[in-house]
Amino acid sequence: MSTGSEVPIVSARANVMLYDDPTKKWVPAGSAQQQGLSKVQIYRHTGNNTFRVVGRKMANHEVVINCSIPRTLKYNQATPTFHQWRDQRQVYGLNFANKEDAESFAQAMKSALDTLQLFYMPQPVICISKMFTTSLVLTAIICNFNMTMNGYVQRACHDEEALDLATQFQSNGVFGYTPEAAYGPPQSHKQLWMEVAEKITIAVQQIIEFAKMIPGFMDLSQDDQIMLLKAGSFELALIRCCRVYDSSKNSVVFGNTILPLEVFDAFNDEETHLRDSIFELVKTLLAFNLNESEIALYSALILIRPDRPGLKELVDIQKLYEKILSSLKGEIVKTHADNQDVLNKLMQIAWTLRNLSAQHIVLLNKFKMSAPDMEFPPLHKELFSVEGLDS
């Protein structure tokens, strides 16, 4: 059961209209006896990030609109002061009192739709093991994470099936795949970019689910959640590469097979340099022999960085960051007693992760300019844009 409450994110004055299909005319919503402006608001549920539009007549508080906002809603600004959209039953129109109200409402609607797109998880879920992990292994990671959050959550999760499956995957190699798996012919430059974008998008979908389960993340403001995910998703995907890379054979799990890095030779020189830098980083991380708890805590630490651009509730984010850091320290002390420098090195690597993420954005933007006809997945477009670069 989700927790949270509904809060308004915008309030505007408008005449609420409904489209009458038989007469092909707009008619006022509500009782005919009481016309006039309504107070129209968009509400966000803080627990599950859903939205709805609610409008009440300003004269008698009659509810004239109460509809949910689906991810697929098409919001049409027909004129500067008349906007419209439809759901499965009705076409709605808002005739705003002025341009200012219309603009603020449209901006809030766009923000709501962006959030719905960002947190969208298609069903059925694509097999997570292809890039990130299986749902059961993810559960095991989060269980470990929760249990190591000193004084923050109780030891309340005992998913033996998940832990058994995690152990099984580790004993069978990289997600149970064999190095002898066959791979297809080399791809073109464009095909390779789109394949990588697809795999990154699959990983990011699971990173979003991971973020939701970090204690305290969903208590942050909606805007801060989005900014943290935009800034950190690629960096977390790089960390998870530790679980899809076989250093002994210089190969990586890619889709349903294992491929040597040499297969990705369609990249240009700059892109190849970034690829090589990424897997040099992966080799460095692998050398620490981090367990799943440490990887989960380190991933959470990288995501909840209070120095990301555009954040608002810095005090809350800093407190959460410090709690995660304290838990990571405690875990490293237990498992790396012979190497007390591990944490310092991991903190230094955090800056390498940020630099690689920035390089990725630059090269992605160059590719998009050279291939404007290529259509990236919606979630990929939402998260990875040149605006995501640190200033």
Side-chain angles (χ1 to χ4, degrees):
M1 181 179 297
S2 63
T3 60
S5 59
E6 283 193 313
V7 295
I9 63 172
V10 70
S11 181
R13 295 169 299 153
N15 286 300
V16 180
M17 313 293 287
L18 303 175
Y19 188 74
D20 183 55
D21 194 58
T23 63
K24 307 300 181 185
K25 293 182 179 179
W26 289 98
V27 297
S31 59
Q33 294 81 9
Q34 185 67 59
Q35 299 303 316
L37 291 173
S38 297
K39 181 180 181 180
V40 186
Q41 297 175 294
I42 295 179
Y43 281 87
R44 177 177 74 93
H45 192 284
T46 58
N48 54 24
N49 275 315
T50 56
F51 300 84
R52 64 184 179 121
V53 179
V54 178
R56 296 179 177 87
K57 287 284 183 65
M58 297 179 70
N60 63 358
H61 304 292
E62 176 190 3
V63 176
V64 291
I65 184 172
N66 184 359
C67 68
S68 62
I69 300 177
R71 178 182 61 87
T72 54
L73 182 144
K74 303 298 184 184
Y75 189 76
N76 178 31
Q77 296 173 252
T79 73
T81 57
F82 186 81
H83 302 175
Q84 63 190 65
W85 71 94
R86 71 166 62 238
D87 61 17
Q88 294 179 343
R89 300 174 302 156
Q90 188 66 60
V91 181
Y92 302 94
L94 296 180
N95 193 15
F96 292 97
N98 52 59
K99 290 183 179 180
E100 290 74 19
D101 278 15
E103 290 172 358
S104 62
F105 192 90
Q107 185 175 1
M109 179 65 80
K110 181 181 183 302
S111 176
L113 294 172
D114 287 346
T115 300
L116 291 170
Q117 183 63 52
L118 181 61
F119 285 93
Y120 170 59
M121 174 64 67
Q123 299 293 333
V125 179
I126 300 172
C127 180
I128 302 170
S129 63
K130 293 181 181 179
M131 185 66 182
F132 189 62
T133 180
T134 70
S135 58
L136 287 175
V137 174
L138 178 60
T139 303
I141 294 171
I142 300 303
C143 291
N144 290 332
F145 171 64
N146 285 343
M147 289 189 288
T148 54
M149 291 289 280
N150 299 331
Y152 201 52
V153 292
Q154 297 179 344
R155 294 171 173 260
C157 185
H158 301 283
D159 192 338
E160 294 182 1
E161 181 183 3
L163 296 174
D164 288 345
L165 187 56
T167 302
Q168 177 183 336
F169 277 176
Q170 291 171 355
S171 63
N172 287 344
V174 185
F175 297 118
Y177 289 101
T178 59
E180 292 75 20
Y183 56 89
Q187 302 181 68
S188 71
H189 185 238
K190 289 184 178 180
Q191 288 175 325
L192 187 54
W193 262 103
M194 300 312 296
E195 283 285 334
V196 171
E198 178 188 341
K199 302 303 183 293
I200 290 177
T201 302
I202 294 172
V204 168
Q205 288 170 344
Q206 307 313 317
I207 288 169
I208 291 173
E209 292 304 296
F210 173 81
K212 291 179 183 179
M213 288 183 276
I214 296 174
F217 180 81
M218 295 302 290
D219 296 330
L220 301 175
S221 72
Q222 169 193 320
D223 290 342
D224 283 345
Q225 291 176 34
I226 293 173
M227 293 306 297
L228 289 171
L229 284 165
K230 282 187 173 183
S233 288
F234 187 78
E235 296 171 31
L236 264 65
L238 297 187
I239 295 172
R240 293 309 305 176
C241 281
C242 292
R243 290 298 183 259
V244 296
Y245 177 67
D246 184 348
S247 59
S248 65
K249 297 178 174 59
N250 198 32
S251 301
V252 62
V253 176
F254 195 76
N256 292 318
T257 188
I258 287 184
L259 300 178
L261 292 187
E262 292 76 12
V263 169
F264 303 94
D265 60 358
F267 284 134
N268 63 32
D269 290 344
E270 283 186 302
E271 295 159 358
T272 299
H273 177 72
L274 175 60
R275 180 204 67 187
D276 293 343
S277 297
I278 287 172
F279 285 98
E280 283 301 314
L281 170 73
V282 170
K283 292 176 186 177
T284 301
L285 285 173
L286 285 172
F288 292 125
N289 293 317
L290 301 178
N291 60 33
E292 289 292 353
S293 295
E294 291 165 332
I295 289 178
L297 286 165
Y298 186 53
S299 297
L301 189 74
I302 294 300
L303 181 66
I304 314 295
R305 289 191 60 167
D307 58 351
R308 300 294 191 186
L311 298 176
K312 298 176 181 178
E313 298 176 352
L314 293 177
V315 173
D316 293 338
I317 296 171
Q318 181 68 38
K319 288 180 180 178
L320 181 55
Y321 177 85
E322 290 173 358
K323 288 177 179 177
I324 298 171
L325 178 59
S326 176
S327 297
L328 179 59
K329 287 180 180 178
E331 189 71 13
I332 288 176
V333 167
K334 289 189 300 182
T335 56
H336 298 275
D338 57 336
N339 188 357
Q340 295 299 311
D341 201 33
V342 169
L343 182 61
N344 290 334
K345 291 179 179 177
L346 288 175
M347 300 304 285
Q348 293 172 3
I349 287 174
W351 294 104
T352 304
L353 287 166
R354 179 173 291 197
N355 183 48
L356 292 174
S357 179
Q359 291 181 47
H360 166 252
I361 293 295
V362 171
L363 294 181
L364 174 62
N365 196 48
K366 287 184 178 180
F367 173 75
K368 287 182 176 180
M369 293 176 65
S370 67
D373 57 315
M374 304 305 291
E375 185 68 21
F376 283 80
L379 179 59
H380 191 281
K381 290 192 292 186
E382 174 67 23
L383 285 178
F384 305 124
S385 62
V386 71
E387 288 80 9
L389 281 170
D390 292 353
S391 57

